Amino acid sequence: MARLPEPFKFNTHELARRAGEMKEYELDIELLEKLGVELISVPAGEVIEVDARLESVTEGILLTADIFAIAKGECTRCLDPVEIEIERKVQELYYYAQKLERPKKKKRNDDEDDLGEDDELMMDGDIMDLEPPIRDAIVLDLPINPLCSDDCPGLCPECGGKWAELPADHAHEVIDARWASLNGLDLE
């Protein structure tokens, strides 16, 4: 059975597991599926550039990375295509699988927000999965309502024409729906 490629998996076998060791990498991750939301995303087939620095620390490997990608979508006002450059920095600690058990702290308050074991990133042998921090960095940097420009006027609600291309005196005759049936009445 053929194994599917996993572009976000990175093998750290070159990095010694001694505290203080460091390696730098330039990665080009080609997406197999889009990364983002419906309105705007980094499309499948595009490349995410990652300049990563991996440092061995006592608990695991510290990832410090600069991420660069281009998201594509539509302006929410005029529906023109939009491209947004994403440049983010991330820093995450990947714990070794055989990490030492840390003493659990007792919570003083039930509402206190603490990272649980599920939120910690774990190494799988020498493999680190870069997808969670990269996905979070990109998705959180995407605008909720992408615009082609801050002053985009949008579309005319009556005819659908772009306000930027319509004449300044563009208007539609508005007839009150209660009187609209009288238009067909011939009084002569």
Side-chain angles (χ1 to χ4, degrees), residues 72-158:
K72 298 178 181 179
E74 293 185 332
C75 175
T76 55
R77 292 184 187 160
C78 69
L79 307 178
D80 278 348
V82 173
E83 281 192 4
I84 296 175
E85 289 184 2
I86 298 171
E87 291 187 50
R88 292 288 307 250
K89 290 185 178 292
V90 295
Q91 189 170 43
E92 293 288 341
L93 178 61
Y94 284 78
Y95 290 98
Y96 294 130
Q98 69 270 14
K99 70 177 181 170
L100 298 172
E101 288 296 320
R102 296 186 307 247
K104 305 238 183 220
K105 293 181 181 176
K106 292 182 181 177
K107 286 189 175 181
R108 289 175 273 148
N109 184 355
D110 289 337
D111 296 333
E112 189 175 318
D113 199 16
D114 211 7
L115 285 179
E117 295 255 338
D118 295 339
D119 296 331
E120 294 177 347
L121 297 170
M122 302 292 292
M123 298 282 297
D124 184 11
D126 285 338
I127 307 293
M128 52 187 342
D129 185 6
L130 300 174
E131 185 175 11
I134 290 175
R135 179 178 298 277
D136 290 350
I138 289 175
V139 171
L140 291 174
D141 203 42
L142 294 174
I144 295 172
N145 295 317
L147 298 174
C148 58
S149 67
D150 289 338
D151 59 345
C152 176
L155 302 174
C156 172
E158 297 295 322

Side-chain angles (χ1 to χ4, degrees), residues 7-8 29-35 42-48 138:
F8 288 100
I29 299 174
E30 185 174 341
L31 293 178
L32 300 177
E33 58 186 38
K34 75 176 184 171
L35 183 63
V42 179
E46 290 290 319
V47 173
I48 298 173
I138 289 175

